[in-house]
Amino acid sequence: MMNYPALIEAQSLVQVGDIAGAEHALATLAETQGDQALVAALDEFPAKDLLAIIREYDSSKESLVNLLVTPEQFAQAVVLEKRYKDLTHEQLRGMINSVIFREGADAAEFLYEIAEVEGGYDSLADYLQERTQMVEHFYRYATFDLYEYGDESKTQAIDDDLLSLTRDTETRASAIERANVEDHDWMEVTYILRYELPEIFREVLMKLRARYQVYLRNLQNDEFAEGVVADTTEEDEDDVGAPKKNTDDGDDDDEESAL
């Protein structure tokens, strides 16, 4: 890192929260020494600090770091995003989209490298989690429309055999053209995983299914708990207004003994 003083400056700026300043320092390195110098320097830049810069993407302007970061460097940073505990994963999605769909990039190469890093499958599952049902539907029917089963002459529902993914990739890819889902977002990512990286897609889909099952169980438990509370409340209300049982059988033992 001593060969790149700009990296030291950028890292220091990240630590004090000046992300824009850090990005500017790295951009200055590229301007003075060339793009390749920045690419080489990023190999020495801590992944967590690289993530802090890439995470602050702005779709209204180009970021030199986003334009030059390599798939390997990007993958090392992406898997750390979970540290931010963003339950919506919106920032993760925007960050990934801004890099893998940059002009001239091979999105499949980026997705492959992410999967190769420990925690990469989880990051890809996080990226698609909000679209789980549509991803599942696309796997079965080659359409994202939950109300459509596709043109049966081109697309037929497949058996739930994830091992068959690598066998039917070429034949089923013809059922839908990539241009039809070229949104530079989750639909295109799903398409790439499904037809270009089927083994990775299999692992990601299994994770999505497992998470969805947990979600359904939690939902059922919440509904059951609410039902129990409601039943208990009704019973309490009934007890308040219910007449007391008359235990007087008509015999007054005290009066009889007195007589």
Side-chain angles (χ1 to χ4, degrees), residues 89-90 92-94 96-98 100-101 111 124-139 143-146 181-194 201 204 208:
H89 306 303
E90 284 298 314
L92 172 68
R93 234 179 75 207
I96 289 179
N97 292 344
S98 70
I100 72 173
F101 293 119
L111 295 172
L124 293 175
D126 289 341
Y127 176 96
L128 292 171
Q129 182 167 311
E130 296 301 314
R131 312 290 182 177
T132 295
Q133 287 179 287
M134 282 179 277
V135 172
E136 179 77 51
H137 197 76
F138 184 76
Y139 156 65
T143 175
F144 290 109
D145 188 348
L146 296 178
V181 296
E182 209 165 44
D183 63 346
H184 286 8
D185 200 350
W186 65 274
M187 287 196 295
E188 193 168 355
V189 167
T190 301
Y191 180 96
I192 294 170
L193 292 175
R194 172 68 179 86
F201 180 76
V204 173
L208 290 175

Side-chain angles (χ1 to χ4, degrees), residues 121-167:
Y121 286 119
D122 284 311
S123 293
L124 293 175
D126 289 341
Y127 176 96
L128 292 171
Q129 182 167 311
E130 296 301 314
R131 312 290 182 177
T132 295
Q133 287 179 287
M134 282 179 277
V135 172
E136 179 77 51
H137 197 76
F138 184 76
Y139 156 65
R140 293 176 179 276
Y141 303 107
T143 175
F144 290 109
D145 188 348
L146 296 178
Y147 301 100
E148 178 186 347
Y149 291 99
D151 184 347
E152 293 300 331
S153 65
K154 297 180 181 179
T155 307
Q156 294 181 351
I158 59 177
D159 294 334
D160 188 16
D161 178 12
L162 292 178
L163 294 178
S164 69
L165 278 169
T166 54
R167 295 198 299 268

Side-chain angles (χ1 to χ4, degrees), residues 39-108:
V39 173
L42 289 179
D43 279 335
E44 301 182 32
F45 201 58
K48 63 181 180 61
D49 295 334
L50 177 59
L51 171 64
I53 293 174
I54 297 176
R55 198 171 187 272
E56 295 301 316
Y57 74 96
D58 183 349
S59 59
S60 66
K61 63 181 181 68
E62 288 188 336
S63 164
L64 196 58
V65 174
N66 284 26
L67 289 173
L68 295 177
V69 64
T70 68
E72 294 83 1
Q73 294 164 348
F74 184 62
Q76 293 291 339
V78 163
V79 295
L80 300 179
E81 211 279 336
K82 60 180 176 291
R83 296 183 179 182
Y84 287 86
K85 301 185 185 302
D86 177 13
L87 299 181
T88 67
H89 306 303
E90 284 298 314
Q91 203 77 8
L92 172 68
R93 234 179 75 207
M95 178 180 67
I96 289 179
N97 292 344
S98 70
V99 172
I100 72 173
F101 293 119
R102 71 193 187 195
E103 186 176 355
D106 182 351

